[in-house]
Amino acid sequence: MEFVLNGIEALLTPVIGLINTVLWNYVLVYGLIAVGVFFTVRLKFVQVRRFGHMLHVIGRGTNGDAAGISPFQALCTSLASRVGTGNLAGVAIALSLGGPGALFWMWVVAALGMATAYAESALAQLYKVRDEDGQYRGGPGYYMSRGLKLPWLGVAFSVCLVFSYGLIFSSVHANAMAQSLNLAFGFSEAQIATGLVLLTALIIFGGVRSVARVAEWVVPFMAVGYLGLALWVVATNLAEVPAVLALVVRSAFGLEPAAGGLMGGLAAAMLNGVKRGLYSNEAGMGSAPNIAAAATPVPHHPSSQGLVQSLGVFIDTLLICTATGLMILLSGVLGDGGDGVVITQNALVVFFGQWGSWFAAIALFFFAFTTILGNYSYAESGLLYLGGGDVGLFLLRVAALGVIVWGVYAQVPLVWSAADAAMAMMATLNLAALLGLSGVVVKLTRDYDRQLDAGRSPVFHIADYPELGDGVDHEIWRERDSSAR
């Protein structure tokens, strides 16, 4: 087993390194922020203007529409994917490589990314279709082919999506869980791999709806519990918080050296903050739109589901990632060594003793396990777009279980580098598509704002937008016109 893994890693390392160098150093570190600024300005700070309204559009119901899942289920499933290893291990890696300032750039990416997440999920809703079982399907592949009229781009994106979320990303979370559970409880790699495969198989063979039902119950429980613990740490160390926040801001602009002297200055903080921020909140990557499209929006307008997913970015990064970052910085363990989740566990040990290590391992298990489930739901959408039928889905599920085993045994640096490369390719394609469809996003937003400001519950009337042509399924958006006018 070790000989085979070493051979695979020797072949993959130079290819992955080249992709990361080109896309991260020259494209995404600036492109993500630029696109976020673009949509924030064009949509008149929609993530600020409509923040309160976001809380009103995450209901559990579907208004009798059996073709979709509820907005709350869509939010929880997207959070299942967002709130994962990146929130515990990813934040620690960003801080260890980029210094405390990396946390600031995670905030920037999230604040601007809320507008990007709104745009991509609203488009996914608009261009969704019904599959052969009558269920809603959609995502970047669909708005690339149906909106931009570039089916080849949709295929390229979907291939990256299946590869990234169906395979690579699950190995990252399995890897982090293996480290954490071994450190806290002494479980062997074989025990961890066996348990993960069995639990994952029980759920993913039930499809997207099975994933959504699990996420609806597990995600709120795990997020509230983790935030409660972090709030207690902050409250009991309140006097030190202003100094820590000042350190974060100074380090973000190169006024403080990075931890351990590994990579100093603005470039290190910005690169690692943006990279880990995107991995955590996924804004602009094109992943969350796949589950956003599966929802029945309430109110019946594409923009309402865009607002739901924008809120997801806020919860993921500005709440949960910040909680992890503050606990690490307040503990003083940064720079003491350790990989990823080990740093986070060491921080919790400072505040809670050995119980803190156990809690971190349990939290990471739930975060990472639900992320594997959420990742699978995205990969399933991508495969169905590519035309994969029952046989294709079966093979995807088997492959997803196989990479979990690989992730448990693989080396940490290669797993994270592969995830970075896959994420970079997806995000580059998706950002280009979003810019190409930005005019459509503006029309949707103005329509939603106009109805909301008039005191009405917004409803999208496809008849008012003949310029969208046959790229939009008129039956889906015509269904409720008669009852809404």
Side-chain angles (χ1 to χ4, degrees), residues 92-426:
I93 289 172
L95 294 177
S96 64
L97 295 178
L103 184 61
F104 175 87
W105 291 108
M106 292 181 79
W107 294 339
V108 171
V109 169
L112 297 174
M114 289 176 70
T116 309
Y118 164 84
E120 62 183 357
S121 291
L123 286 172
Q125 266 289 314
L126 177 65
Y127 291 105
K128 69 185 179 183
V129 300
R130 280 193 178 93
D131 65 18
E132 59 185 17
D133 296 322
Q135 307 301 310
Y136 292 138
R137 294 283 182 181
Y142 294 82
Y143 58 68
M144 289 171 183
S145 61
R146 300 171 71 90
L148 285 178
K149 307 300 182 184
L150 296 174
W152 65 267
L153 189 63
V155 169
F157 177 87
S158 297
V159 169
C160 290
L161 177 67
V162 173
F163 176 74
S164 305
Y165 280 85
L167 304 176
I168 295 299
F169 286 175
S170 292
S171 68
V172 171
H173 304 297
N175 186 276
M177 277 193 279
Q179 289 186 75
S180 180
L181 292 171
N182 176 266
L183 180 66
F185 302 111
F187 292 151
S188 69
E189 292 171 332
Q191 289 172 321
I192 295 167
T194 301
L196 282 178
V197 166
L198 291 176
L199 286 174
T200 304
L202 285 173
I203 298 170
I204 67 173
F205 275 88
V208 170
R209 286 183 175 271
S210 176
V211 173
R213 285 192 294 269
V214 173
E216 182 179 19
W217 291 101
V218 175
V219 171
F221 168 78
M222 71 182 190
V224 170
Y226 187 72
L227 286 174
L229 193 75
L231 185 62
W232 187 90
V233 170
V234 171
T236 55
N237 295 272
L238 201 57
E240 301 172 43
V241 171
V244 166
L245 294 177
L247 174 64
V248 168
V249 175
R250 290 197 307 271
S251 178
F253 295 97
L255 302 179
E256 293 280 344
L262 295 175
M263 296 171 62
L266 170 63
M270 188 175 182
L271 175 62
N272 285 283
V274 171
K275 187 184 294 186
R276 296 275 70 84
L278 174 62
Y279 181 76
S280 179
N281 65 53
E282 302 180 6
M285 199 192 306
S287 51
N290 293 278
I291 199 65
T296 297
V298 182
H300 196 64
H301 194 290
S303 289
S304 68
Q305 185 56 220
L307 292 170
V308 168
Q309 297 305 326
S310 182
L311 180 64
V313 174
F314 176 86
I315 294 171
D316 172 85
T317 303
L318 295 176
L319 292 184
I320 298 177
C321 284
T322 298
T324 299
L326 289 179
M327 286 193 291
I328 290 173
L329 294 174
L330 286 168
S331 71
V333 302
L334 192 63
D336 289 350
D339 265 325
V341 71
V342 175
I343 296 173
T344 304
Q345 283 184 271
N346 290 341
L348 287 173
V349 168
V350 170
F351 299 113
F352 303 103
Q354 183 59 39
W355 183 86
S357 178
W358 296 338
F359 179 86
I362 294 170
L364 181 71
F365 171 80
F366 281 110
F367 281 18
F369 179 63
T370 54
T371 300
I372 289 174
L373 301 180
N375 287 352
Y376 168 77
S377 71
Y378 295 160
E380 181 177 298
S381 294
L383 184 67
L384 290 175
Y385 173 82
L386 294 171
D390 292 340
V391 174
L393 286 177
F394 176 79
L395 293 176
L396 173 65
R397 290 163 182 168
V398 172
L401 298 176
V403 296
I404 288 174
V405 177
W406 176 64
V408 169
Y409 287 92
Q411 297 179 22
V412 176
L414 179 65
V415 171
W416 280 95
S417 294
D420 287 340
M423 177 172 62
M425 290 187 291
M426 282 181 56

Side-chain angles (χ1 to χ4, degrees), residues 438-449:
S438 61
V440 177
V441 178
V442 171
K443 287 181 181 179
L444 291 175
T445 308
R446 288 175 177 170
D447 182 56
Y448 196 85
D449 283 341

